[in-house]
Amino acid sequence: MPMTAAYWLEHAWLDGAVASGVALDTADGRITAVRPGTPAPPPGATPLRGLTLPGLANAHSHAFHRALRGHVQAERGTFWTWRETMYQVASRLTPDTYRALATAVYAEMALAGITAVGEFHYLHHTPGGAPYADPNAMGEALIAAAADAGVRITLLDTAYLSSGFGAPPEEHQLRFSDGTADAWAERVSALKDTADSAVRVGAAVHSVRAVPADQLATVAAWARDRAAPLHVHLSEQPAENEACLAAHGRTPTRLLADHGVLGARTTAVHATHLTDEDIALLGGSATGTCMCPTTERDLADGIGPAAALQRAGSPLSLGSDSHAVIDLLEEARAMELDERLRTRTRGNWTAAALLRAATADGHAALGRPDAGRLEAGALADFTTIALDTVRTAGPPPRLAAETAVFAASAADVRHTVVGGRHVVRDGAHALVPDVPRALRDAVAALHD
């Protein structure tokens, strides 16, 4: 028998506008019918009161960075001192402790309305660099964690071969490296998608620092041959640009373009420090851009040219990256508010455009173009934001989208449904009973 569920949405984001009174049917993980103009819940339908949006897509995550929250804010430091603390935490993870931590982190995401995560995964081997008995034990731990927490995952298995432009990995980077791109490709080929779209396997180039130029094409070809997503950290720090110019006489974006990495299935993460030519290369190739404003401001990286990238043709998505906070609504409004500070101009994006980055374009960047919309045939993934909290009460329903983007937070998420099943109901996670405790215990296990 097919698994079916019916919902009634008090207000819903349909075709770029708020509709009130919407009946929504699901079967086998997909939406089968959407019926606006339904003033009351039909018999058997579960009412979801508030504004229901397509599930949010967190297009860039490093799950283990959640263990850094608070610790890396204790002193001023720099991006590079932050990185040393990150390496210390990474060195302590095992498949079991990683699964425990990631389950708690992904549960926190579900509580924030996130239904799919793109995990930029480079903790592949034991701390000394030797493979586990199962070479993909760490990646499998992340896949299991997503299932434990009830969210979809795109495992962006990351090639990380060098400490910088051909230099061998440093001590803490040994567990990241497969030695060569060919060895990386052999290992990652054992990971498989699932038929229900719960798991999608993609690829990532950690950065132009970490993958030698003559091996970039191998990673790009692996992704191209499988029509898989390909992500890459790009120009996050000026120092990366300067080192790339010194090593190759060109910017990181031009280097990626010259080796076939850019394209419609590729997403550049951060893209903070770009030239006009870089922007034209990314936009002209339809390469997406994932902005992570809360991490970019936490690390003092700078404000990326998101508006210029979108005008050039680059679709925008959003990620919580280092998880300084996990709140895609905050990421969406931060992109607009940061641009206002940079340009002293309001209204660079509408609420509708920001919601598209947080939903449909984010899911597309993770290899799920059939998600991020409330329509028949789409994956039955959606989330409901309360409109009666101290942050959201007051505006009329017709302004619910603006209220959600510019006033609401993850704390206002009431329901999250993935594949037609309630994962978060009335603010409580159905699979992880005590998410704060799970986070506390998992993080404490990684610190002295």
Side-chain angles (χ1 to χ4, degrees), residues 14 18 21 64 82 164 197 236 287 328-329 354-355 411:
L14 301 182
V18 176
F64 76 94
W82 171 93
S197 198
E236 183 176 3
T287 299
L328 260 286
L329 299 173
L354 294 169
L355 284 175

Side-chain angles (χ1 to χ4, degrees), residues 14 24-25 30-34 370 373-379:
L14 301 182
L24 186 149
D25 299 332
R30 292 189 178 270
I31 298 170
T32 55
V34 178
D370 54 350
R373 299 180 302 281
L374 299 179
E375 63 181 41
L379 292 172

Side-chain angles (χ1 to χ4, degrees), residues 46-380:
T46 299
L48 303 181
R49 300 194 180 275
L51 173 67
T52 296
L53 303 169
L56 305 178
N58 190 351
H60 189 66
S61 163
H62 301 291
F64 76 94
H65 288 191
R66 176 61 177 81
L68 302 176
R69 187 184 294 178
H71 293 269
V72 291
Q73 281 80 29
E75 298 178 5
R76 291 181 64 185
T78 66
F79 171 86
W80 307 104
T81 58
W82 171 93
R83 191 174 72 157
E84 290 305 312
T85 305
M86 179 268 288
Y87 285 160
Q88 290 294 331
V89 169
S91 70
R92 296 170 180 166
L93 284 161
T94 68
D96 288 342
T97 59
Y98 206 7
R99 179 173 178 175
L101 176 61
T103 297
V105 175
Y106 297 155
E108 182 181 357
M109 291 185 193
L111 289 171
I114 293 163
T115 57
V117 58
E119 184 62 38
F120 200 100
H121 165 58
Y122 52 84
L123 288 176
H124 302 309
H125 309 300
T126 66
Y132 288 99
D134 172 2
N136 286 305
M138 294 294 270
E140 295 288 1
L142 291 165
I143 290 170
D148 293 342
V151 301
R152 303 183 194 274
I153 186 170
T154 297
L155 187 73
L156 296 160
D157 196 288
T158 304
Y160 193 133
L161 310 174
S162 168
S163 63
F165 298 99
E170 297 172 359
E171 178 186 358
H172 289 304
Q173 299 165 337
L174 290 172
R175 72 182 311 185
F176 307 163
S177 178
D178 291 291
T180 68
D182 286 334
W184 167 85
E186 181 179 0
R187 178 184 54 74
V188 73
S189 293
L191 294 164
K192 303 299 180 186
D193 297 351
T194 58
D196 62 358
S197 198
V199 178
R200 185 89 163 89
V201 178
V205 170
H206 179 273
S207 58
V208 295
R209 301 189 316 274
V211 178
D214 61 1
Q215 299 190 58
L216 290 169
T218 299
V219 183
W222 187 95
R224 183 175 59 252
D225 291 347
R226 291 159 179 78
L230 173 61
H231 289 214
V232 54
H233 288 139
L234 179 63
S235 292
E236 183 176 3
Q237 289 283 321
E240 175 184 300
N241 291 355
E242 293 160 6
C244 189
L245 285 165
H248 298 290
R250 65 198 84 177
T251 66
T253 301
R254 169 54 73 182
L255 187 68
L256 294 174
D258 290 348
H259 290 274
V261 176
L262 304 185
R265 282 192 296 273
T266 299
T267 297
V269 181
H270 303 305
T272 308
H273 303 281
L274 303 180
T275 66
D276 290 343
E277 181 192 30
D278 293 339
I279 292 170
L281 284 169
L282 292 168
S285 60
T287 299
T289 305
C290 180
M291 306 302 293
C292 306
T294 66
T295 290
E296 289 150 7
R297 70 192 185 197
D298 182 55
L299 296 179
D301 285 343
I303 300 170
L309 282 161
Q310 188 167 58
R311 286 194 299 269
S314 179
L316 298 179
S317 55
L318 298 166
S320 63
D321 191 3
S322 69
H323 313 312
V325 297
I326 293 177
D327 188 338
L328 260 286
L329 299 173
E330 174 63 20
E331 303 293 347
R333 75 170 149 265
M335 188 164 70
E336 165 65 21
L337 298 182
D338 286 354
E339 188 71 5
R340 291 183 187 184
L341 286 174
R342 192 176 69 83
T343 64
R344 291 180 291 174
T345 301
R346 299 180 80 235
N348 300 280
W349 291 276
T350 62
L354 294 169
L355 284 175
R356 181 176 180 87
T359 58
D361 285 349
H363 289 290
L366 298 180
R368 292 188 183 84
D370 54 350
R373 299 180 302 281
L374 299 179
E375 63 181 41
L379 292 172

